[in-house]
Every structure is written in structure tokens, then in C-alpha cells.
Amino acid sequence: MDRIRATYRITAGESESRVRAEALATEQSVEMPVGAIDDPHVLTDVLARVEAIRPHAGEFDVVLAIAPATTGNEAGQLMNMLFGNCSLQPEVELVDVELPEGFERAFPGPRFGIDGIRTVTGVKDRPLTCTALKPQGTPSAGLAKLARTFALAGIDVIKDDHGIANQAYAPFAERVPAVQRAVTQANQETGGRTVYAPTFSGGPRALAEQTRIAKDCGVKMALVAPMLIGLPSFFELQVDLDIPVMAHPAFGGAGRIAPPLLLGKLFRLFGADATIFPNHGGRFSFSKATCLAIADAARSPWHGLRGALPVPAGGMSVERVPEMVAGYGKDSMLLIGGGLLSAKDRLLERSREFVAAVRG
Amino acid sequence: MDRIRATYRITAGESESRVRAEALATEQSVEMPVGAIDDPHVLTDVLARVEAIRPHAGEFDVVLAIAPATTGNEAGQLMNMLFGNCSLQPEVELVDVELPEGFERAFPGPRFGIDGIRTVTGVKDRPLTCTALKPQGTPSAGLAKLARTFALAGIDVIKDDHGIANQAYAPFAERVPAVQRAVTQANQETGGRTVYAPTFSGGPRALAEQTRIAKDCGVKMALVAPMLIGLPSFFELQVDLDIPVMAHPAFGGAGRIAPPLLLGKLFRLFGADATIFPNHGGRFSFSKATCLAIADAARSPWHGLRGALPVPAGGMSVERVPEMVAGYGKDSMLLIGGGLLSAKDRLLERSREFVAAVRG
């Protein structure tokens, strides 16, 4: 198999670029002095190679060719080879990864993807609408009531706020069946197909238990923060859940792995069917170009993997819907949370305005 | 219970400090406009509070008081409340966390700690020695042979290189029994008590399988990269393993969570018995002050938690042993990997020199 190509941007003078590039190749593969290695197999088939060094605005980019065998075809070890030790070098940023043909046999990407989410929600030919149950601290019954209102308004996907996990005031085992029941009931009344995506969180035992509960009560979609539970757990969870999974960027750091790579390509590679990211002009500082690059990385053709649905979010409002639809196109899901809840007593009306703005 | 106190350093003008601090308190708790919250319980018991704003060299520090109930007493959700969304704001750094009395009931820290590692290795009153099996790509038999040499030299702990995971060329199920056998055999010949710490990696199923194999063949210590497998998985794994666990900093990022907090306090909180970090003057840019602060955070008295053993590493040499012993004191473990392997045919002698330098 051909090599993985990883591109790093290094904030250091070009005069040291060759030395830094070779040191990076060693660090990200054999992690020892090359002169002390005798085994020709290790030198030929394991040691990463410097494939290119390119000046970039006073810094430089290094492309390493990394042997796929070093990843053991496992998500955590792939990240280790891409950005394990060098994540501790503040002058190194991981900006892109190209995979060799055939690597997708180990990482087949989204199980459902954009088409699968359209099938589950019954939405064709327009962007999807999404909102969040908030705030944490609200008891399960209150969240179920809120979900009912959103479902009556015809919002496509209602997700838990990413801060709603498994706290005592609305534990998963109580909250998820209650909210799912409320949404199912509202769907029966309206003939709609609103989907509820609860937060899955915690260690392996908690995730297994939450998976069991979710299957029991007919949950059709999931919300997971891959960086909080860990990428290897995320990869395994999305297989076990066997429903579309939205990835949340929490704990995803900033700037050291380029957001289009982490939230777009890598989350997609590990099976995210939709990926939430902070939209430009909201509470976060991502630029418009970064946001469009994330959307592009999530849904462009790539090794035959299904596309993941881009979900711009974070301080959005109903007023911005036309601009967002124009910017992201129909294969997107627009997420407005607090912007709806601010309507308080007019929540149903504001939610309907959101739905109408996207459908119009 | 009293609140968790989290300190953030914000790179922004002091004039906006109050607004930024209040926004951070909202972001890291209810994540919605406070004016849209009616429930007095949420406002009183869930919403994070700004407890202090302090100027710091043109930037400012914000101390948030975060309600422990929001963490659900779970490692991933604790990190979510501390640094979930604001990790996506590049101007925000998490610099310290203080826990309320009683929080240690949910997170009791290291199960063995420094004393437990001394018991397993039989080392009293001096720093411990540690080295790494390298490079990846070496077959299991070669790694076992290398481990035998290190054990004959009397090194206390032999760990897998952090890049050695579960690859086809030395899979865990084959490598770990082989290396453990070689170390046990060498111990029988020398009367020594060298311990082998293999890398545990992957998703929940892989970790469960590796735990079973390690117990079967009498492994006495473990190496884990908490950020690669995910903190909730790490927390559960160290309980299941029930042997001392060394934490490796791979994928730990740089600069956005202060290293003494992440590699010292937080890894310790989640159960690391020893914590590896890049020593100053090696291949990484951590300062001496940062390294000493990590060691301090790992082993200073803290809520009655056991101390975790600091393990400075990364491009170290036998020549630097006296300086490292003077700097870190006896409650430390000195890790030299490539610096021994560079001796090639003189590996046994160089390893003995390392052991003698630390014992002397």
C-alpha cells in the first residue's frame, strides 16, 4: 500500500527546515536515532520519509510519507502517528492528511452519511433544521416538553445540548426515553418525522449502557463529542449504535489541528454522519473561509466514503438563515439553539419561523 | 458541595474582560442567553459564576466557579465543563483547576501512586530508571531480546515505545507475553525485579482484550496515552487493570491546557500512577520551570490523592543523570530510550552505566 501523506506547518526559519523535517519524520515513526537502527525492514517500511518541504509565508510546510502499517488500522494509533508527540511541539500544526487507496477498508467513514440522514428525517432537496434542548439543569420532563414544542414546529433534528450528558438532574436512562416519547407523540399528531439525537458520553461501560437504552426506546440519531470520549471509542460507538451520528467539536482544541482536517476529514473518516462546527459571525472566531473548508472536507468526494452533513452552529439566528442557506447549500443542517429559546413564550412561533425560513 | 474553580488566561484587552468573563461563564455551563432562563434552580445551582478577574501582563485571568453537579462525576463531562466549547476559542487557555472538598470521592486519583510503584519494583530511596523498547517495526522476538538486555542491566521499568501499539509486525497478543517472559526469565537469573509496561491502545473492545491478555501473563505495569484513548476510557481502564499505570503525553496538544495542569493534576486525578513528560533540554521545548511545575503538580499533597511519579523523558542521556536527579529528587523515574539504543553493541554496558549513575 502507498503511504499516508501528512502535511505539517512549522513556525521556524526556513534555514532549519531540512533538519526540522527530518527530525519530524523520526519523531512520528521510529522515535529514536536513525543511525542506531540496523533492521533494513524498519528503515525501508516503517521510518517516515520527508516527501516535500515547501516555503509558506516565512514558515514552511513539511509533507511526511507515513507507513500505513504503523497505524495498526486503529483510530487512536492513526492519530498517534499523525500528531502524537509533535502535538507537544507548539510550533508544529497538522494541516492536512491524504490517505492511500485501500485505507478506507479499515476506516469506511460514515455508515449513513448525508443520504442516510435524509432517509431518517424524510427531508429531500433542502437544508435540514436542527435545534438543541437547553439549558442543562432542566429536569427530564422539562426537556421533554421543550422537545415536544420543537417537534410540533416541524424542526427536523432536536439534539441534546452538548453539556447535557448523564447528570443527576436528568440522567440518560430517564431523560432519553422521556424525550423520545414526547417527540414520537408529537410526530403522530403532526404526521412529521422529527428525530431526537441525545448526547452519548462517558467511558466504555457508560456508552454500552446508553447504547442499550437508546435502542430500547427507538432513538434514531446520536450526538457525540469524539474528542471528549476519545477517537477510538467514537469509532467503535458509531458502529455499535448503527444510527446516524452527529459529531460535536467540544474539546477539539483550536488551531493545532486545522479545523477542516479535524472536524471535516478526520471525524468523517471515523464515521461521523454529520459534523457540527462554530459558524462564522457567531460566538466563535472561525473565519468564513474556514467554515466553508470544513463543509467542503465533510461532503466532497473522498475515497468513496459517504459525505458527512455540515452543521454550522453557535450563536446563530433565524435572521441569518437565508445567508446560511446561500453559503452552505442544500446539503447542510442549520442549528439554532439559544436563538430560538430567547423567544421564551413565543418558542413555538419562533421555531416555526425557523422551519419556514429554511423550507422557503 | 462547594464549586470547582477553573482559571482561564484570555488573550484580549482588559477593557473587554468583564464581558468576556461573563460570556465564558455562560459558554461553560448553560450555553444559552441567561435572560432566556426562568428556572431559579438553573440560575442558582447550574450557571457558572465569574469569581475573579485579574490582570496578567496585558492579558487577564478569569476564575470561574463551576457547579460540580454539571460534571455528572464523569471524566469526559468534567473536561467538557472545563474546556469543551472554549477549547475552540484560540484566545482562551485553561491554566488551573481547584476542586472542592469531597470531589475526590468520584475521582480518587492514582490507585498505587509513587509508593505503589516502589512496592512493585522494590526500589527504595532513589529515583527509578526507565527505558523504552524501540523502534516499532521490530518483531516481538527482537523486542523480547532487547527487554532481556535491559532487564539484565537492572533497569527498573521497561516500557513499550509509545508508538508500539497493536500493529501486525508485533501484535499485543504475541508481543506482550513474549516480552514479559523474557523479563521474568532475566529477573530469575539476576534476582532483580524489572517490570515491563506494555502500551494499551484502541477502543473499548481492544482495551478489554489487552487487559485480559496482560492479566493472563502477569504484566505488572501499563503504559497508556490518555488523550489518544480518551480520558473517560483511561479512567475506566486504570480501574480495570488494577496495576500501576504510566500516562504518556501523546496527542496532549501544547499550550492550550497548561502542561502542569493536564500532565500533572488532571492525569493524576484520573488515575495515572506515573506521568511521562518531555524534559527541558531534550527534543521538546518545555522550559525547566514548566517541567518542575509538572513534577510538583504530580506529587504534591492534593486532597489526599496518592502522588503520581514524575517521569522526565525525550532525548535524555546518561550524562544528564546527575543533573536530573538533582533537579527532580528521589521521587522520580528517569526515562532514557534512544540514548541507550545508540550504544548498539554496547547496549548492556550503557544500560548498566545508566543504572549505576542513578544508584550512585
Side-chain angles (χ1 to χ4, degrees):
Chain A
M1 195 183 288
D2 193 17
R3 296 237 166 168
I4 297 164
R5 271 153 190 92
T7 304
Y8 303 85
R9 186 151 299 158
I10 302 186
T11 310
E14 258 188 76
S15 63
E16 37 173 330
S17 63
R18 169 58 56 182
V19 171
R20 286 301 309 260
E22 295 293 348
L24 191 64
T26 305
E27 192 71 56
Q28 293 308 112
S29 55
V30 293
E31 208 193 329
M32 66 176 284
V34 174
I37 301 173
D38 289 326
D39 187 339
H41 156 66
V42 172
L43 294 170
T44 310
D45 300 331
V46 174
L47 181 64
R49 288 192 296 262
V50 176
E51 196 146 283
I53 301 175
R54 300 190 206 104
H56 179 91
E59 308 171 352
F60 55 91
D61 286 356
V62 171
V63 180
L64 292 189
I66 295 173
T70 63
T71 71
N73 288 345
E74 191 276 306
Q77 178 61 11
L78 172 59
M79 295 312 297
N80 194 17
M81 290 297 96
L82 292 174
F83 203 55
N85 272 4
C86 67
S87 81
L88 299 163
Q89 299 174 320
E91 68 282 10
V92 178
E93 183 192 0
L94 177 63
V95 291
D96 202 10
V97 175
E98 300 289 337
L99 303 176
E101 284 307 319
F103 204 61
E104 69 276 7
R105 284 194 294 273
F107 299 104
R111 296 168 71 78
F112 298 88
I114 296 174
D115 291 346
I117 292 175
R118 290 195 179 282
T119 302
V120 168
T121 54
V123 176
K124 297 189 185 74
D125 289 324
R126 63 160 172 86
L128 287 84
T129 52
C130 180
T131 191
L133 301 179
K134 305 187 180 204
Q136 63 161 303
T138 310
S140 298
L143 295 170
K145 190 176 158 209
L146 198 54
R148 173 177 169 78
T149 303
F150 287 138
L152 290 177
I155 286 175
D156 301 311
V157 176
I158 302 169
K159 72 170 193 63
D160 279 339
D161 198 17
H162 93 284
I164 294 181
N166 199 14
Q167 296 99 334
Y169 33 66
F172 191 99
E174 171 195 279
R175 172 182 90 250
V176 173
V179 173
Q180 183 60 55
R181 244 188 335 264
V183 169
T184 304
Q185 174 67 33
N187 282 341
Q188 284 166 355
E189 294 173 30
T190 63
R193 295 177 61 175
T194 296
V195 166
Y196 168 49
T199 304
F200 290 73
S201 67
R205 276 192 200 85
L207 292 172
E209 174 68 3
Q210 291 166 19
T211 298
R212 189 190 60 71
I213 294 168
K215 284 182 196 267
D216 277 358
C217 67
V219 163
K220 294 189 174 59
M221 202 157 168
L223 178 76
V224 188
M227 299 301 276
L228 282 175
I229 70 166
L231 290 166
S233 274
F234 176 71
F235 182 73
E236 194 167 307
L237 177 66
Q238 53 88 20
V239 174
D240 290 347
L241 279 172
D242 204 25
I243 51 177
V245 170
M246 299 177 81
H248 192 283
F251 205 49
R256 302 290 318 294
I257 301 181
L261 174 59
L262 182 66
L263 310 182
K265 272 181 156 178
L266 291 172
F267 282 7
R268 177 186 182 184
L269 182 68
F270 298 141
D273 298 284
T275 183
I276 301 172
F277 58 90
N279 197 25
H280 56 97
R283 301 197 309 269
F284 298 82
S285 61
F286 282 21
S287 69
K288 185 171 177 183
T290 297
C291 292
L292 292 175
I294 293 169
D296 199 47
R299 65 192 174 185
S300 294
W302 193 43
H303 292 283
L305 269 57
R306 291 184 183 88
L309 198 61
V311 188
M316 294 300 100
S317 63
V318 176
E319 290 68 32
R320 285 193 61 187
V321 165
E323 170 220 321
M324 291 169 75
V325 172
Y328 292 105
K330 75 179 167 85
D331 279 341
S332 63
M333 184 187 291
L334 308 187
L335 167 52
I336 305 181
L340 299 184
L341 293 165
S342 296
K344 302 185 80 163
D345 293 347
R346 290 193 61 259
L347 180 61
L348 181 60
E349 292 76 7
R350 178 72 61 85
S351 301
R352 284 183 169 144
E353 288 159 21
F354 174 34
V355 169
V358 175
R359 292 189 182 183
Chain B
M1 194 184 289
D2 193 17
R3 295 235 167 171
I4 297 164
R5 269 149 192 96
T7 304
Y8 303 85
R9 187 151 297 159
I10 302 186
T11 309
E14 258 187 74
S15 63
E16 37 171 332
S17 63
R18 169 57 56 182
V19 171
R20 286 301 309 263
E22 295 293 349
L24 191 64
T26 305
E27 191 71 56
Q28 293 308 112
S29 55
V30 294
E31 208 194 329
M32 65 176 286
V34 175
I37 300 172
D38 289 326
D39 187 338
H41 156 67
V42 173
L43 293 170
T44 310
D45 301 330
V46 174
L47 181 64
R49 288 191 295 262
V50 176
E51 195 146 285
I53 301 176
R54 299 190 206 104
H56 179 91
E59 308 172 351
F60 56 91
D61 286 356
V62 172
V63 180
L64 293 188
I66 295 173
T70 63
T71 71
N73 288 344
E74 190 276 307
Q77 178 61 10
L78 172 59
M79 296 312 298
N80 194 17
M81 291 297 96
L82 292 174
F83 203 55
N85 271 5
C86 67
S87 81
L88 299 163
Q89 299 174 320
E91 68 282 9
V92 178
E93 183 192 0
L94 177 64
V95 291
D96 203 10
V97 175
E98 300 289 337
L99 304 176
E101 284 306 320
F103 204 62
E104 68 277 7
R105 284 194 294 273
F107 298 103
R111 296 169 69 78
F112 298 90
I114 296 174
D115 290 347
I117 292 176
R118 290 196 180 283
T119 302
V120 167
T121 54
V123 176
K124 298 189 184 74
D125 289 324
R126 63 160 172 86
L128 288 85
T129 51
C130 181
T131 192
L133 301 179
K134 307 186 178 204
Q136 62 161 302
T138 310
S140 299
L143 296 170
K145 191 177 158 207
L146 198 55
R148 173 176 169 80
T149 303
F150 287 138
L152 289 177
I155 286 174
D156 300 312
V157 176
I158 302 168
K159 71 171 194 63
D160 279 339
D161 198 18
H162 94 283
I164 293 182
N166 198 16
Q167 296 100 334
Y169 34 66
F172 191 99
E174 171 194 279
R175 173 182 90 249
V176 173
V179 173
Q180 183 59 56
R181 243 188 336 263
V183 170
T184 303
Q185 174 66 32
N187 282 341
Q188 284 166 356
E189 294 173 31
T190 63
R193 294 176 62 175
T194 296
V195 166
Y196 168 48
T199 304
F200 291 74
S201 67
R205 275 191 201 86
L207 293 172
E209 174 69 2
Q210 290 166 19
T211 298
R212 189 190 62 70
I213 293 167
K215 283 182 195 268
D216 278 357
C217 66
V219 164
K220 294 190 172 57
M221 201 157 169
L223 177 76
V224 189
M227 300 300 277
L228 281 175
I229 69 165
L231 290 166
S233 275
F234 176 70
F235 182 74
E236 194 167 308
L237 177 66
Q238 54 88 21
V239 174
D240 290 347
L241 278 173
D242 203 25
I243 52 177
V245 170
M246 300 176 81
H248 191 285
F251 205 50
R256 302 290 317 294
I257 301 182
L261 173 59
L262 182 66
L263 309 182
K265 273 181 155 177
L266 291 172
F267 281 7
R268 177 185 182 186
L269 181 70
F270 297 142
D273 299 284
T275 183
I276 301 172
F277 58 91
N279 197 27
H280 56 97
R283 300 198 308 271
F284 297 82
S285 61
F286 282 20
S287 69
K288 185 172 177 180
T290 297
C291 292
L292 293 175
I294 293 170
D296 199 48
R299 65 192 175 186
S300 293
W302 193 43
H303 292 283
L305 268 57
R306 292 184 182 87
L309 197 61
V311 188
M316 294 299 100
S317 63
V318 176
E319 291 68 32
R320 284 193 61 186
V321 164
E323 171 221 320
M324 291 169 75
V325 172
Y328 292 106
K330 74 179 168 87
D331 279 341
S332 63
M333 183 187 291
L334 308 188
L335 169 52
I336 305 181
L340 299 184
L341 293 166
S342 296
K344 302 184 79 165
D345 293 345
R346 291 192 62 259
L347 180 61
L348 181 60
E349 293 75 7
R350 178 71 61 84
S351 300
R352 284 184 170 143
E353 289 160 19
F354 174 33
V355 169
V358 175
R359 293 189 181 184

